[in-house]
Amino acid sequence: MAPPNMANSNEHNVYFGTDSLKKYFDPDCQPPLPLVELPEHLNPYYHDGVRIYAKMMTMHPANNVKAMPALNMLETSVVPNKTNTIIEYSSGSTVISMSMIARVMHGVNDTRAFLSNKTSDAKLKLMQFFGLSITLFGGPSQPEPIDERGGIQNARRQAQESDSIVNPNQYENDNNWQSHIRWTGPQIFKQLPEINVLCAGMGTSGTMTGLGTYFKTVKPSVTRIGVCTAAGDRVPGPRSYALLRPVEFPWKEAVDTIEEVGSSDSYTLSLRLCREGLVCGPSSGFNLQGLFQMLEKRKAAGTLADLAGPDGVTHCVFLCCDLPYQYIEEYFQKLGSEQFPPIHNEQLTKVDLHRYDEAWERDALDVLPQVYGCPRSLAESQMSEITLKPQHRVLDLRKPDDFRAWHLPESINLPLANVGPHTASPFSDPTVLEAQWVELEKIFRDGHLVSQLGSYHVLVVCYDGDTARVATSVLRAKGLEADSVRGGFHALKIYGIGSESPAVSTKASGPIAATVSVSAVPLD
């Protein structure tokens, strides 16, 4: 049978006009979603005459396989000018797709998700991100559709009580699986009429029911593999074989064989596909592993070649169903740290947590005239002529001996234990940054000290300017107005401001603050 003629191919993939978003979401107005062959190094059966293709359902605007069912179900469920709320029990992809499609295609802005209280925080936040109202239910994370105690039937009852509420009910709605007869199956057949094997996971069983039913009609020779989760295991989306039994879709007639797959293999293959450029979630790795298992059994039995078509090649398609980002934590939990490159300087994830701004790191010749009253340029001024302006304070973080040898007039010595004339920059040595930030946080955790500085503009000076830059970040995070001197004391010396002349070092007049402990800084 020849593949169907698919009109409106929109080969340039451009969507115009006031209904551009509707066209963008409509598969009839799009090119087919990509079908990508796995390279040889990802296909362990390549030299057995097997070619494997990923159907990238993730490339729909809603980024998941459930977009097709959501489109088809809402098209027949929403009543114009009457429906104003959509309610669906869904762990994520279906109801997120519904929320976008309801807005774009039907102008319905209120979509509500019913789901398990065992749903991950990442998924909950993702649904909030897409504007979904969420109601959680206890009990099994994947309740049986007919269980009156679960959220599936609760959503159904609410819709029955109001004409303005629609519950598409993906678990019982034939428009779920028929969407893949309408769109997904014809796309695959048009793209790869040579197809010999089709593999898809089984959650609501809609995807496999639709695809299996379609190919049984157009090309009965195609071997149809349904993939379930291994008993006692969990992969987001698919169900175990036991949980499929109460599903009313005609899935048994749509599959030729069932494979059970565990979460470790699913996440491992998904991770590998992502790193090779096919970005997809764990259920995609799950489908591929199911395909691998069937091919391996055939190879062991000596019947693998029986799957091949007239060209002597076995062409296999598996579905990539969703994206990995909402499952990132699960990848690390399932696979362990050895699967991931290390983070160097990981200790910095817990320190130096506040904002920086280039505007807070000031050149000495720009900032000192704002802090001190100077009759002429600072480099030409005698220290006796320089006085601190009102509402300003200068903090010097250097060692007491260095502070006593020379410092800016009326500055306050706040020596840090982890700062010295030969200490490495905190930005070149992570251990220095960690130690200095922890010390600064401890010092300025003192609410009395912060409140005393609160009414002043604070200028921070150190040896090379880098520690003062860190201190400025901490002070700004505490709500203080603070800046640092770029280059610190070394820059002051270059400008001639930090020269240790007798006129400076023996100066007797003017208020010069003594070295003080961090718990008793004299600010007044």
Side-chain angles (χ1 to χ4, degrees):
M1 180 176 179
N5 179 28
M6 300 182 70
N8 301 319
S9 62
N10 186 15
E11 62 178 323
H12 296 294
N13 210 10
V14 179
Y15 306 89
F16 296 100
T18 57
D19 60 348
S20 57
L21 277 177
K22 289 185 178 181
K23 294 175 183 175
Y24 177 54
F25 271 77
D26 185 352
D28 291 330
C29 299
Q30 301 169 343
L33 299 177
L35 191 67
V36 184
E37 183 182 354
L38 300 190
E40 181 178 340
H41 66 277
L42 291 176
N43 177 3
Y45 303 97
Y46 186 87
H47 294 289
D48 298 303
V50 175
R51 301 296 178 264
I52 299 175
Y53 307 82
K55 177 63 173 174
M56 302 302 295
M57 304 302 292
T58 56
M59 300 299 287
H60 185 274
N63 297 137
N64 65 76
V65 70
K66 297 301 180 71
M68 305 302 191
L71 275 161
N72 213 37
M73 287 188 287
L74 290 180
E75 183 179 289
T76 55
S77 299
V78 172
V79 180
N81 302 316
K82 188 174 182 180
T83 301
N84 55 35
T85 299
I86 309 293
I87 296 179
E88 184 71 5
Y89 189 94
S90 165
S91 61
S93 294
T94 299
V95 76
I96 289 173
S97 293
M98 282 183 179
S99 71
M100 287 188 275
I101 290 163
R103 282 191 182 94
V104 171
M105 308 297 282
H106 305 286
V108 176
N109 295 316
D110 182 15
T111 300
R112 303 177 186 180
F114 285 12
L115 64 159
S116 168
N117 64 329
K118 298 162 185 63
T119 303
S120 69
D121 184 64
K123 272 196 172 183
L124 293 175
K125 285 186 168 59
L126 184 66
M127 284 186 272
Q128 289 179 299
F129 177 86
F130 281 103
L132 286 152
S133 171
I134 298 171
T135 301
L136 300 179
F137 289 84
S141 59
Q142 290 182 321
E144 292 189 4
I146 60 174
D147 188 346
E148 292 293 331
R149 299 165 295 180
I152 296 173
Q153 291 302 318
N154 195 299
R156 184 185 201 177
R157 286 192 295 270
Q158 286 201 24
Q160 290 173 342
E161 294 168 0
S162 173
D163 291 340
S164 66
I165 298 175
V166 165
N167 170 223
N169 192 355
Q170 61 177 315
Y171 303 93
E172 299 177 3
N173 192 330
D174 287 340
N175 286 304
N176 176 344
W177 60 273
Q178 289 173 1
S179 68
H180 298 293
I181 294 177
R182 182 179 179 184
W183 289 306
T184 315
Q187 281 192 13
I188 294 172
F189 193 36
K190 179 184 180 183
Q191 292 169 306
L192 189 70
E194 303 89 349
I195 183 172
N196 308 115
V197 178
L198 176 72
C199 185
M202 302 182 72
T204 63
S205 82
T207 304
M208 194 63 232
T209 300
L211 289 173
T213 301
Y214 175 79
F215 278 100
K216 186 176 182 179
T217 300
V218 301
K219 192 174 183 181
S221 62
V222 170
T223 298
R224 304 160 301 169
I225 308 168
V227 191
C228 299
T229 52
D233 209 341
R234 176 85 170 89
V235 177
R239 290 173 168 247
S240 67
Y241 185 78
L243 287 175
L244 281 177
R245 290 179 182 177
V247 175
E248 296 184 358
F249 296 160
W251 59 269
K252 291 181 181 179
E253 294 79 27
V255 297
D256 298 307
T257 184
I258 294 285
E259 291 292 336
E260 293 184 326
V261 170
S263 58
S264 179
D265 288 332
S266 303
Y267 280 88
T268 298
L269 273 179
S270 166
L271 181 67
R272 190 176 180 199
L273 289 172
C274 287
R275 289 176 174 175
E276 294 290 340
L278 290 173
V279 181
C280 58
S283 62
S284 307
F286 172 85
N287 292 340
L288 181 56
Q289 178 62 25
L291 175 60
F292 282 170
Q293 289 177 191
M294 188 280 290
L295 294 173
E296 185 60 32
K297 289 174 183 176
R298 285 276 196 155
K299 184 174 180 179
T303 60
L304 182 55
D306 295 345
L307 296 172
D311 59 356
V313 177
T314 302
H315 298 277
C316 306
V317 174
F318 75 99
L319 266 63
C320 285
C321 299
D322 64 358
L323 296 173
Y325 307 114
Q326 61 185 307
Y327 308 110
I328 294 300
E329 287 297 326
E330 286 91 333
Y331 281 90
F332 283 83
Q333 293 166 6
K334 295 285 185 182
L335 303 183
S337 59
E338 63 274 8
Q339 294 284 341
F340 302 93
I343 298 175
H344 302 288
N345 303 329
E346 190 170 6
Q347 70 269 33
L348 295 187
T349 61
K350 298 179 181 178
V351 301
D352 193 31
L353 304 178
H354 308 312
R355 177 177 168 239
Y356 285 83
D357 193 313
E358 291 183 6
W360 302 341
E361 191 177 23
R362 309 285 299 280
D363 187 272
L365 295 183
D366 292 332
V367 71
L368 289 182
Q370 299 173 22
V371 176
Y372 289 96
C374 307
R376 53 186 182 275
S377 70
L378 284 167
E380 298 173 355
S381 300
Q382 296 294 320
M383 290 294 113
S384 60
E385 299 175 313
I386 301 176
T387 58
L388 192 64
K389 289 184 178 181
Q391 301 305 309
H392 288 79
R393 287 290 180 264
V394 178
L395 295 183
D396 191 321
L397 307 180
R398 296 176 300 146
K399 296 295 185 187
D401 287 347
D402 296 320
F403 178 80
R404 283 191 290 269
W406 184 90
H407 54 261
L408 289 170
E410 303 180 68
S411 56
I412 300 165
N413 189 206
L414 195 66
L416 300 185
N418 294 287
V419 173
H422 305 296
T423 303
S425 165
F427 302 113
S428 65
D429 187 338
T431 60
V432 173
L433 177 56
E434 180 182 19
Q436 291 183 357
W437 191 85
V438 169
E439 185 177 3
L440 286 162
E441 276 289 310
K442 183 177 180 181
I443 291 171
F444 292 108
R445 196 176 298 139
D446 181 350
H448 177 68
L449 176 57
V450 171
S451 64
Q452 283 187 295
L453 288 169
S455 60
Y456 296 97
H457 175 273
V458 180
L459 184 65
V460 188
V461 181
C462 66
Y463 290 98
D464 62 1
D466 287 351
T467 301
R469 187 181 182 213
V470 178
T472 298
S473 173
V474 172
L475 287 167
R476 289 275 182 170
K478 306 299 180 187
L480 302 178
E481 186 181 355
D483 294 308
S484 65
V485 174
R486 182 183 291 106
F489 177 68
H490 298 158
L492 294 174
K493 288 180 67 176
I494 291 172
Y495 289 137
I497 300 169
S499 61
E500 299 180 6
S501 64
V504 173
S505 60
T506 61
K507 177 182 174 186
S509 61
I512 299 179
T515 302
V516 296
S517 70
V518 297
S519 60
V521 180
L523 300 175
D524 300 319

